[in-house]
Amino acid sequence: MDYFLQQLINGVTLGSIYGLIAIGYTMVYGIIGMINFAHGEVFMIGSFIALTVFLILAAVGITFLPIVLLLMVVVAMLFTSLWGWSIERIAYRPLRGSFRLAPLITAIGMSIFLQNFVQVSQGARVKPMASQIQGSIAITDSVQISYMQITIIATTIVLMIAFSTLISKTPLGRQQRACEQDAKMASLLGVNVDRTISLTFVMGASLAAVAGTMYLLYYGVIDFYIGFLAGVKAFTAAVLGGIGSLPGAMLGGLAIGLIETFWSGYFSVEYKDVAAFSILAITLIFLPSGLLGRPEVEKV
């Protein structure tokens, strides 16, 4: 039982990171119906920016941990938000009215470009960072939850509540939901569709930056390839939970994290990805819209 509880804690922690990335996928798809395959690379860039900020602060002698962590997150969010806005403005907006396959190809191309850009500029070797948030709380004699895990889970809960409230209660959220239902009609009614879509990319990128910072602090090592792996799994989480649903994206992230962790703990770590994608396939056979997704109604 203790081993099960420990794996449960580990799975929820990993799933929280996947969920934060998956929200970015589902927000973009919910409004413009396009999968932003470069979102995983934005997550990777966020982790590199956070590491760069940490090294700069250490070089100038700023070591007070709360200030360091706050600056890492804030600067990473600012720069990745700029990346998200630039990607939408340069790569996706000109193709918004074209056939649906063109933005998808562009998204894959942008993903490869960002991955290689970081590889060339930062090097292909892994970048380590010593653990910054140490210590843990003993739940039982053999079950512990670290302060880092508590930080990740608490941050995810706060951001999930904040973004859900923003989308359901604020004017920007109403504009996003209007664009999701009918972008042309929303434009006729005075909604700035271009600005709304750009802000959606910015919001998704900022969440990816938080996830990238948490990933760096939790695992202590990053490289240029982490965006691809995490992006694919986060996209899987968004589809599993129901693409277009924020709670579904978080639920899907938790599900993927738990599946990976329990499969690695009880069976074989080499087949944890096979298990996750198999569960996705089985779920979509019986629930084609995902766990919390709504069936898409075709307008006629």
Side-chain angles (χ1 to χ4, degrees):
M1 186 62 183
D2 286 348
Y3 186 72
F4 174 86
L5 289 176
Q6 187 64 65
Q7 294 301 320
L8 178 64
I9 293 171
N10 297 337
V12 170
T13 304
L14 179 60
S16 298
I17 296 175
Y18 287 157
L20 285 177
I21 310 172
I23 289 176
Y25 278 111
T26 203
M27 287 176 65
V28 172
Y29 182 86
I31 291 182
I32 61 176
M34 188 196 77
I35 300 299
N36 179 18
F37 278 114
H39 190 66
E41 272 57 50
V42 174
F43 154 81
M44 177 265 295
I45 289 173
S47 66
F48 270 89
I49 293 172
L51 177 60
T52 302
V53 172
F54 173 79
L55 294 176
I56 292 174
L57 293 176
V60 299
I62 300 176
T63 57
F64 184 56
L65 189 58
I67 298 296
V68 171
L69 296 179
L70 179 62
L71 288 175
M72 287 172 64
V73 172
V74 171
V75 175
M77 290 177 69
L78 289 175
F79 276 90
T80 52
S81 296
L82 181 60
W83 270 105
W85 179 85
S86 301
I87 290 170
E88 190 278 330
R89 186 65 182 85
I90 297 171
Y92 299 152
R93 185 180 298 185
L95 298 174
R96 196 180 300 158
S98 64
F99 62 99
R100 295 178 64 90
L101 193 59
L104 178 62
I105 296 172
T106 302
I108 296 174
M110 181 58 68
S111 171
I112 296 172
F113 167 77
L114 292 176
Q115 190 178 115
N116 284 272
F117 171 76
V118 174
Q119 181 183 8
V120 171
S121 60
Q122 301 295 324
R125 293 183 178 180
V126 297
K127 303 294 188 292
M129 188 183 80
S131 176
Q132 300 300 310
I133 302 178
Q134 301 179 353
S136 61
I137 298 174
I139 299 176
T140 66
D141 291 339
S142 56
V143 178
Q144 294 184 336
I145 179 170
S146 67
Y147 293 130
M148 186 66 242
Q149 290 175 318
I150 295 174
T151 302
I152 292 174
I153 295 171
T155 301
T156 300
I157 293 173
V158 170
L159 289 175
M160 181 65 200
I161 294 173
F163 274 76
S164 297
T165 303
L166 185 148
I167 290 176
S168 62
K169 303 292 185 183
T170 66
L172 175 59
R174 287 192 291 271
Q175 292 171 7
Q176 289 175 318
R177 286 183 278 121
C179 292
E180 175 186 2
Q181 294 176 6
D182 194 325
K184 184 175 292 186
M185 180 58 70
S187 177
L188 292 173
L189 294 175
V191 175
N192 190 329
V193 175
D194 288 339
R195 183 174 65 89
T196 302
I197 293 175
S198 292
L199 288 175
T200 303
F201 271 82
V202 167
M203 292 163 59
S206 64
L207 282 175
V210 177
T213 305
M214 295 297 141
Y215 184 97
L216 171 66
L217 293 171
Y218 188 53
Y219 290 102
V221 61
I222 57 173
D223 60 41
F224 73 97
Y225 200 64
I226 62 169
F228 174 78
L229 296 175
V232 169
K233 291 175 182 177
F235 172 65
T236 303
V239 174
L240 179 61
I243 194 78
S245 169
L246 262 67
M250 185 56 63
L251 179 61
L254 291 174
I256 295 297
L258 289 169
I259 291 169
E260 281 194 17
T261 304
F262 279 114
W263 191 274
S264 300
Y266 286 98
F267 300 101
S268 172
V269 67
E270 287 84 3
Y271 293 98
K272 60 184 178 66
D273 294 337
V274 175
F277 292 124
S278 298
I279 295 296
L280 170 67
I282 294 171
T283 302
L284 294 181
I285 289 173
F286 297 100
L287 295 172
S289 300
L291 297 175
L292 299 182
R294 299 187 304 269
E296 188 170 332
V297 179
E298 188 73 24
K299 297 184 180 71
V300 295

